[in-house]
Amino acid sequence: RTIFSIKRRMGTDAIVRLGDDTFSAQEISAFILKALKQRAERHLNQAVGKAVITVPAYFTDAQRQATREAGQIAGLEVVRIINEPTAAALTYHQHDDNQTRHLLVYDLGGGTFDVSIVKIESGVVEVLASTGNNQLGGDDFDRKIVDELLAHLKRKHGLDVSADFRVMARMLRAAEAAKCTLSSAPYTRIEEDHVGEKDGRGVHLSMELSRDRFETLIEDDLSLTMQAVTQALKDAGMMPGAIDQIILVGGSTRIPRISALLEEKFRITPHGEIDPDLCVAMGAGIQAAREMGMDNAAVLVDITPYSFGTSAVGIVNGEPSLNQFVPLIRRNTKLPATRTEAFCTMVDDQELVEVNVYQGEEPDAMDNVRIGNYLFYL
């Protein structure tokens, strides 16, 4: 009686079964919209009858129409349907900036992915090119972790739980939690009690998963997204150097590997200081205010203007160095923020490490500003 990623089924004839009942994708979406409508009414203490709804830029006309129908079923007049990257660009738009800017919006959510090139000029937000994959998202990453857990149980305990939907639901929740943890920590331990029985005894799941291993699992999927980025640039007739700003949209963009791939390609740091889970909805709110003739205020957030990190043995400008800068909290990160990274000692039985903290963007830590240090006893 649980539905995941219904967005992927919008615009199709798919029938969803919940218990003894069957529903269309529009009806399931309508349940969600109706619940949101009720929450808004409780918060505002007044009736809500109209809505602006966002959809992936790569949605077809059939999928957009299905979304409109879902709103109508939920009792909402759908004033306008706008693309998610357009909404995100509205959130990031600086009202006092009259310069022409080109934005790349990288939108990777739970169920879908799209990338758009957006032009902002004189307050007009125009999508120049969009491409993507409506069947690629964070849910796929979760399932790859689940496959890793199933292989671990098979290898260690000779147990196959893939047919037990209750255990699989637990493992899917654990996989999602692990994915989130690995966005800010190098390792996580996944533990679930009593996932099965063997020889009359309960079997418990306990497995450590590293960020490196997780990134290896999803590398092919991320490569597909970068191919889409290249295609969007080609469709817009632009080179990477013409992009002024990269906006990260969707919870899955918190995966550090994504920012690294984009920064490697464009040589600029992606922006994610406005919550990637919320910035599209905030843009929809801004558009709704415009539709109702209301003025809207700029979005204000506290961010770190510099990257914060430490120094380590590594490579700087192609040469070995004792002072490679390792950024941990990157500039434009929303505050407060916490990040964890793993480092290795230099020699066996090392007892003490001096940790220096720097702020800046230079690859050589000595070229950045040292803001403190502390001694760490092992």
Side-chain angles (χ1 to χ4, degrees), residues 105-127:
V105 182
Y106 182 102
D107 185 353
L108 182 61
T112 62
F113 164 74
D114 60 61
V115 57
S116 298
I117 309 296
V118 180
K119 178 183 178 181
I120 298 180
E121 184 177 20
S122 301
V124 177
V125 179
E126 179 186 0
V127 178

Side-chain angles (χ1 to χ4, degrees), residues 15-84:
I15 297 299
V16 177
R17 182 174 295 278
L18 282 176
D20 296 327
D21 299 318
T22 57
F23 301 94
S24 67
Q26 291 95 313
E27 289 174 313
I28 297 297
S29 292
F31 290 150
I32 299 170
L33 290 170
K34 188 174 182 179
L36 293 174
K37 177 178 182 291
Q38 293 170 346
R39 293 180 190 179
E41 289 174 336
R42 287 197 299 268
H43 180 75
L44 298 171
N45 198 28
Q46 67 181 63
V48 174
K50 300 180 179 181
V52 171
I53 300 180
T54 65
V55 295
Y58 214 48
F59 252 24
T60 64
D61 288 341
Q63 291 169 313
R64 294 170 191 269
Q65 182 57 36
T67 302
R68 188 177 293 277
E69 291 173 2
Q72 294 169 347
I73 295 172
L76 291 166
E77 177 188 344
V78 183
V79 178
R80 189 168 179 179
I81 290 180
I82 63 174
N83 291 334
E84 290 169 1

Side-chain angles (χ1 to χ4, degrees), residues 149-223:
L149 298 176
L150 291 174
H152 173 79
L153 285 173
K154 189 76 172 179
R155 182 172 58 251
K156 186 173 181 179
H157 301 287
L159 185 66
D160 184 2
V161 298
S162 58
D164 189 329
F165 67 87
R166 290 184 177 86
V167 172
M168 289 296 290
R170 290 169 56 197
M171 293 179 70
L172 190 60
R173 287 195 297 271
E176 182 181 10
K179 176 187 69 178
C180 295
T181 299
L182 290 174
S183 291
S184 57
Y187 302 95
T188 187
R189 179 161 289 280
I190 304 171
E191 295 182 324
E192 285 289 324
D193 291 337
H194 204 94
V195 295
E197 290 189 359
K198 186 176 182 182
D199 300 328
R201 302 181 63 181
V203 174
H204 309 293
L205 169 67
S206 179
M207 189 191 86
E208 184 177 86
L209 182 65
S210 70
R211 182 190 295 171
D212 286 344
R213 177 56 182 164
F214 171 60
E215 290 177 348
T216 298
L217 293 175
I218 65 173
E219 187 65 30
D220 289 344
D221 288 334
L222 296 187
S223 294

